[in-house]
Amino acid sequence: MVDVAPGVQLWAEEIPGPTPDAEPLLLVMGANASGLAWPDALLDRLAERHRVIRYDHRDTGRSTYAFDDAPYAVRDLAGDALAVLDAFGIERAHVVGMSMGGTLVQLLLLDHPDRLLTATVLCTAALGAYGDPELPGPDPALLRLWGEFTDDRDLEGELAWRVEHWRLLNGTGTPFDAAGFRALEERVVAHSGRADNPAAHAAAGTEGLDRGAELAGVAVPTLVIEAPEDPVNPPPHSGHLARALGAGRLVRVQGMGHALNPTVVEPVAAAVLAHTREYAPL
């Protein structure tokens, strides 16, 4: 458990790498999602080269649920990522962020580049992009479902809601494994010890995120993984972000939506490992 604020702790886990001195890699998950959303198969592949760290954001998983009593902004969660590195004694790491996690990684690139060896972001948008009328917003079906985040549901109803959410996030470019995502959410409920829908990040403040113009100064090698079937941040969001970054490049995972299903784990892992290997410290 990692202390990040008075009375606030985060659950974090290390998956050992091939050697004690393997380069560390921090995984930063998206909004309202436990660190368990990173598939075990992906962790195993990344651990072939790296010491892998994953964690639960505030108000998810086993971490402290305190938003109602002590509200915070999305940008505060970037500081939490640094606190996790500090807790494991890691000075610099490769960092991978998905969705909101990609937003947090962009903030780390701007404010703490000295802590990052490389960065990888996927299924995300550039800082400030949501104010750009030239870029598309999320699928209306998702927006309707998000309006139900905090509705009262029993356990079975909550699991069914989450599976439907994953179905929409997955998109139609790759097969959707309803049983697999239900099993994931059953593990998340068991891990969390609660079945209510974690929705704090949907209410967290978004001030301080309109910093897209600063991305051109980023010098840390950054890989942007494009998910062409992403219903949250569809193309051309990834291309826009890669072009905005001073050291960005784009790789597409064909058919991928806004979910790490078994079909896309291997190409995502291969892209991340190729990136971290190319820019490994001398």
Side-chain angles (χ1 to χ4, degrees):
M1 301 302 291
V2 178
D3 293 313
V4 297
V8 178
Q9 291 187 315
L10 306 184
W11 172 88
E13 176 185 47
E14 176 181 352
I15 297 87
T19 62
D21 61 348
E23 296 164 19
L25 185 149
L26 178 69
L27 297 171
V28 187
M29 187 30 77
N32 306 309
S34 162
L36 264 64
W38 294 105
D40 289 343
L42 178 63
L43 300 180
D44 291 343
R45 281 285 281 121
L46 297 177
E48 292 175 9
R49 174 175 170 78
H50 295 287
R51 171 190 180 191
V52 180
I53 310 292
R54 65 174 171 178
Y55 67 99
D56 290 337
H57 292 296
R58 305 186 198 192
D59 293 275
T60 73
R62 293 185 186 173
S63 295
T64 303
Y65 288 67
F67 184 82
D68 290 343
D69 297 323
Y72 49 83
V74 170
R75 66 183 180 190
D76 295 326
L77 301 178
D80 291 354
L82 293 181
V84 171
L85 291 180
D86 291 341
F88 283 94
I90 297 171
E91 181 178 351
R92 299 179 71 202
H94 302 279
V95 182
V96 178
M98 179 172 181
S99 193
M100 183 193 74
T103 300
L104 304 181
V105 170
Q106 290 176 65
L107 293 175
L108 295 177
L109 286 167
L110 295 180
D111 297 332
H112 301 280
D114 56 308
R115 302 297 301 272
L116 277 61
L117 294 168
T118 68
T120 300
V121 295
L122 58 151
C123 301
T124 196
L127 294 173
Y130 290 128
D132 188 337
E134 300 296 320
L135 294 170
D139 186 316
L142 267 175
L143 293 176
R144 287 192 295 270
L145 196 65
W146 290 345
E148 304 171 2
F149 258 132
T150 56
D151 289 359
D152 289 332
R153 291 180 284 269
D154 61 15
L155 175 59
E156 185 58 36
E158 177 63 24
L159 289 172
W161 188 96
R162 294 188 190 187
V163 171
E164 175 62 11
H165 189 212
W166 281 118
R167 185 185 70 78
L168 292 178
L169 291 174
N170 188 82
T172 59
T174 58
F176 177 62
D177 179 8
F181 278 105
R182 180 184 171 93
L184 165 64
E185 290 301 340
E186 289 173 342
R187 291 195 301 273
V188 169
V189 168
H191 170 73
S192 307
R194 55 193 294 168
D196 54 319
N197 200 313
H201 302 157
T206 57
E207 61 272 14
L209 299 183
D210 190 11
R211 302 177 61 186
E214 299 175 48
L215 294 174
V218 169
V220 175
T222 303
L223 176 68
V224 181
I225 298 179
E226 181 174 63
E229 304 300 324
D230 185 348
V232 181
N233 299 301
H237 272 286
S238 294
H240 172 260
L241 174 55
R243 290 189 298 273
L245 286 160
R249 61 175 180 167
L250 187 69
V251 169
R252 170 179 282 217
V253 173
Q254 195 62 37
M256 184 176 176
H258 202 89
L260 292 167
N261 67 41
T263 306
V264 304
V265 163
E266 178 53 35
V268 168
V272 172
L273 290 172
H275 182 59
T276 62
R277 184 178 297 110
E278 180 173 355
Y279 295 101
L282 298 177

